[in-house]
């Protein structure tokens, strides 16, 4: 009887240690996110738990893999820089611990004034603007204003396990323990 109790406690202790080890591993992950606001790109670097990655390097590469510039994150893990070229940009985060993450800013996400081959074409008179052009302009402006909100929604969706997942995981562990004890009892 005492031996079975020791085995049960040992199994429970082992499961608890494994649970805590996996959460420690997840705490070391890094996350890089970026969005376009006006003529700037704003990049935010954080650990998996949401803490800002301070004073870390973010390299900016063009679509051909050439390094365009290197920036340091501020105390809030944020870097702001002007859009350097009109093409896909790869942002690569290198934290001080050797972790790395990357984010691709697609050319299609850049503001329309950068997409136009002739910037002077925007200087048309207001009377010459058609209904379709007005729709495009309004859509572009809404995209600019909604970029930070979309960014916040992306972060919320990547926030990790919720209470239902945690309770479900604990229930799963108890279920496995129940199966173990069931089969152990059948042996005797």
């Amino acid at each position: 009887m005492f031996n079975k109790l020791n085995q049960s406690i040992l199994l429970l202790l082992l499961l608890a240690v494994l649970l805590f080890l996996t959460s420690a591993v997840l705490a070391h992950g890094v996350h890089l996110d970026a969005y376009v606001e006006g003529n700037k790109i704003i990049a935010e670097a954080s650990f998996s738990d949401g803490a800002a990655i301070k004073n870390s390097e973010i390299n900016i590469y063009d679509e051909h893999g050439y390094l365009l510039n290197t920036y340091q994150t501020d105390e809030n893990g944020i870097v702001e820089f002007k859009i350097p070229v009109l093409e896909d940009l790869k942002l690569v985060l290198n934290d001080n611990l050797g972790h790395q993450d990357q984010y691709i800013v697609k050319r299609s996400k850049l503001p329309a004034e950068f997409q136009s081959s002739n910037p002077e074409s925007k200087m048309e008179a207001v009377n010459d603007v058609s209904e379709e052009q007005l729709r495009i302009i309004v859509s572009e402006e809404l995209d600019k204003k909604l970029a930070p909100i979309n960014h916040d929604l992306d972060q919320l969706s990547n926030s990790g396990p919720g209470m239902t997942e945690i309770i479900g995981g604990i229930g799963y562990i108890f279920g496995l323990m129940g199966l173990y004890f069931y089969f152990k009892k059948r042996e005797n």
Side-chain angles (χ1 to χ4, degrees):
M1 177 73 177
F2 184 69
N3 193 19
K4 288 182 185 180
L5 183 61
N6 281 343
Q7 286 178 348
S8 302
I9 292 173
L10 183 62
L11 179 64
L12 185 59
L13 186 60
L14 179 66
L15 288 174
V17 167
L18 287 175
L19 180 68
F20 288 116
L21 284 177
T22 57
S23 66
V25 168
L26 290 175
H28 287 310
V30 296
H31 180 70
L32 178 64
D33 196 20
Y35 58 95
V36 177
E37 188 174 281
N39 66 345
K40 296 185 295 184
I41 294 176
I42 300 172
E44 295 182 5
S46 61
F47 289 106
S48 296
D49 64 358
I53 302 177
K54 304 173 185 176
N55 305 317
S56 290
E57 186 177 272
I58 295 183
N59 296 315
I60 314 302
Y61 296 92
D62 67 5
E63 61 188 24
H64 305 292
Y66 295 111
L67 179 65
L68 300 174
N69 213 333
T70 299
Y71 298 97
Q72 291 287 116
T73 58
D74 64 11
E75 293 300 312
N76 298 318
I78 297 175
V79 167
E80 292 185 25
F81 59 93
K82 289 189 177 186
I83 299 170
V85 291
L86 177 60
E87 57 189 43
D88 290 353
L89 298 172
K90 181 167 78 169
L91 286 61
V92 179
L93 165 69
N94 295 310
D95 77 347
N96 299 328
L97 303 173
H99 299 104
Q100 194 176 66
D101 193 19
Q102 67 181 11
Y103 188 91
I104 306 290
V105 178
K106 295 286 187 186
R107 179 181 182 167
S108 61
K109 297 292 183 184
L110 300 177
E113 57 263 18
F114 290 98
Q115 307 251 0
S116 173
S117 59
N118 182 8
E120 283 74 30
S121 67
K122 299 252 181 216
M123 305 306 282
E124 296 176 63
V126 175
N127 293 336
D128 293 338
V129 177
S130 70
E131 183 178 336
E132 184 60 32
Q133 290 171 326
L134 184 59
R135 287 178 196 265
I136 292 170
I137 293 169
V138 169
S139 174
E140 291 167 358
E141 289 302 313
L142 280 173
D143 287 343
K144 282 186 214 174
K145 298 295 183 192
L146 293 175
I149 294 171
N150 287 334
H151 169 70
D152 290 344
L153 288 173
D154 285 343
Q155 279 190 326
L156 284 174
S157 67
N158 296 328
S159 63
M163 186 56 81
T164 55
E165 288 87 2
I166 293 170
I167 292 172
I170 293 170
Y172 183 76
I173 290 170
F174 281 120
L176 288 175
M177 287 176 48
L179 285 174
Y180 171 78
F181 290 130
Y182 172 75
F183 286 114
K184 196 69 171 169
K185 188 173 183 177
R186 276 187 89 198
E187 285 179 0
N188 297 335

